[in-house]
Amino acid sequence: MAEVLVYVDHVDGAVRKPTLELLTLARRIGEPVAVALGAGAADTAATAAEYGAVRVLTADAPEFADYLVVPKVDALQAAYQAVNPAAVLFPSSAEGKEIAARLAVRIGSGIITDAVDLEQGAEGPVATQSVFAAAYTTKSRITKGTPVITVKPNSAAPEAAPAAGAAEALEVSFSEQATGTKVVSRAARESTGRPDLTEAAIVVSGGRGVGGAENFPVVEALADSLGAAVGASRAAVDAGWYPHTNQVGQTGKTVSPQLYIAAGISGAIQHRAGMQTSKTIVAVNKDAEAPIFDLVDYGVVGDLFEVVPQLTEEVKTRKG
Ligand code: FAD
């Protein structure tokens, strides 16, 4: 069976959920060979193997931390040459997409970004993309070189399929360009203690109806009672009420949690593009005609400042 390279997104050896999804999808195309780079790379092997990696190629060197992505592109190219895979898959993170694009240029291959599904077709992997604010779904196939594909988070449910994959050292020699851009400082984003937006099982989002940054704690309190991430509509983000990193939608993040609660959000198509695949959707809106109600599983017509705090209290009471 052909091997498929899967780039592992991890933090000091802790594999992030989008990579588990990627390993799950990769198994439809061939046998996943994971590639993990940087500090803790070898520690990813057990998790990668649990999700089907038959081999885990690892490399650590100061270059991965000290310079921007080119050392990682060098490493992926080395892995590509060593494995001769049927496809190379990356999570659709900013870093994943940059490495993927550079690798595709180097190996003379076509690239598909932001796939939401992947299957094996008669002539190679077929990627599904959601385009024009999710108004259309396209299926495409790469016709030049080895398919390089990035896949959005929450495109598949991770399914374990234990395989033998053990960490193997990957030989990497760095190109002249690898040290062209040095990282001079890093600033950790202030931690909220909440789950990552794209990985959270529950997301509570606020929109223009929240009325101001000073009112967002109403949304945050519900999120915290549920152990949820906080999202925001573009209207709330553009008004400066919440950071852009929390924006859900076409020009923000795509989320697909078990439960999505929209408070004071009208349900514009560009917002829906980022949340409509959520398993259960709940909306609180004082306008019974708001388009979000066309999409919901449960809708509450009411003032969010009355409904949301009651919901928060109810959740807290039930949790004891
Ligand atoms: P509104 O549409 O103004 O809706 C506010 C809602 O709150 C109303 O339905 C109102 O009835 C309700 N409300 C008001 N007060 C209360 C209250 N007290 N209690 C309960 N309900 C209340 N938008 C995104 O969200 N994400 C994107 O990524 C995105 N990308 C875009 C890209 C492009 C190219 C374009 C053109 C637009 C994009 N937009 C995006 C913007 C989008 O079109 C909408 O303008 C935006 O989603 C509206 O945000 P909203 O629902 O919070 O505000």
Side-chain angles (χ1 to χ4, degrees):
M1 201 182 198
E3 292 184 319
V4 177
L5 281 186
V6 174
Y7 178 71
V8 175
D9 186 6
H10 70 100
V11 179
D12 294 330
V15 180
R16 302 190 65 195
K17 185 169 157 259
T19 301
L20 308 182
E21 297 164 12
L22 212 50
L23 286 162
T24 304
L25 288 173
R27 300 201 303 266
R28 297 180 184 171
I29 297 170
E31 292 190 316
V33 175
V35 184
L37 307 172
D43 298 336
T44 65
T47 310
E50 194 186 332
Y51 284 83
V54 294
R55 297 161 67 193
V56 185
L57 308 181
T58 66
D60 189 13
E63 280 82 354
F64 295 128
D66 293 348
Y67 298 90
L68 289 186
V69 296
V70 182
K72 292 182 176 172
V73 182
D74 289 341
L76 262 298
Q77 191 172 9
Y80 169 81
Q81 279 156 357
V83 172
N84 191 22
V88 191
L89 309 182
F90 292 85
S92 274
S93 59
E95 184 191 72
K97 285 200 271 192
E98 185 169 352
I99 300 172
R102 288 171 180 263
L103 179 73
V105 171
R106 285 196 189 183
I107 65 176
S109 289
I111 181 170
I112 292 173
T113 56
D114 292 338
V116 293
D117 200 7
L118 210 51
E119 63 205 353
Q120 180 67 343
E123 295 171 271
V126 174
T128 304
Q129 288 165 295
S130 174
V131 298
F132 296 127
Y136 292 92
T137 297
T138 62
K139 286 185 186 286
S140 17
R141 178 173 71 77
I142 289 168
T143 55
K144 182 168 186 269
T146 302
V148 177
I149 301 170
T150 81
V151 180
K152 280 192 163 195
N154 291 312
S155 294
E159 282 168 24
E168 296 172 33
L170 173 69
E171 287 290 321
V172 185
S173 52
F174 293 112
S175 61
E176 208 177 292
Q177 299 92 321
T179 52
T181 317
K182 191 165 173 55
V183 176
V184 291
S185 72
R186 287 175 200 276
R189 207 185 302 146
E190 213 177 294
S191 170
T192 59
R194 299 190 182 101
D196 184 271
L197 184 58
T198 54
E199 296 175 19
I202 305 175
V203 174
V204 183
S205 289
R208 202 196 304 272
V210 174
E214 67 283 6
N215 298 333
F216 251 87
V218 173
V219 176
E220 291 175 333
L222 177 57
D224 292 342
S225 72
L226 292 163
V230 176
S233 73
R234 179 161 160 181
V237 170
D238 283 354
W241 303 343
Y242 226 67
H244 180 255
T245 44
N246 295 66
Q247 184 178 314
V248 172
Q250 185 188 335
T251 43
K253 304 248 166 75
T254 302
V255 300
S256 195
Q258 295 299 319
L259 173 62
Y260 186 87
I261 303 178
I265 293 177
S266 62
I269 187 163
Q270 297 88 355
H271 187 79
R272 293 158 73 137
M275 46 65 75
Q276 63 191 1
T277 56
S278 304
K279 307 297 170 291
T280 301
I281 299 173
V282 176
V284 182
N285 196 305
K286 65 181 184 186
D287 175 9
E289 302 298 319
I292 191 92
F293 286 128
D294 297 339
L295 194 67
V296 298
D297 298 285
Y298 302 97
V300 182
V301 179
D303 186 333
L304 73 91
F305 296 106
E306 287 173 24
V307 177
V308 174
Q310 286 182 48
L311 200 50
T312 307
E313 281 315 306
E314 187 63 28
V315 173
K316 284 187 184 162
T317 310
R318 288 189 184 216
K319 274 186 161 177

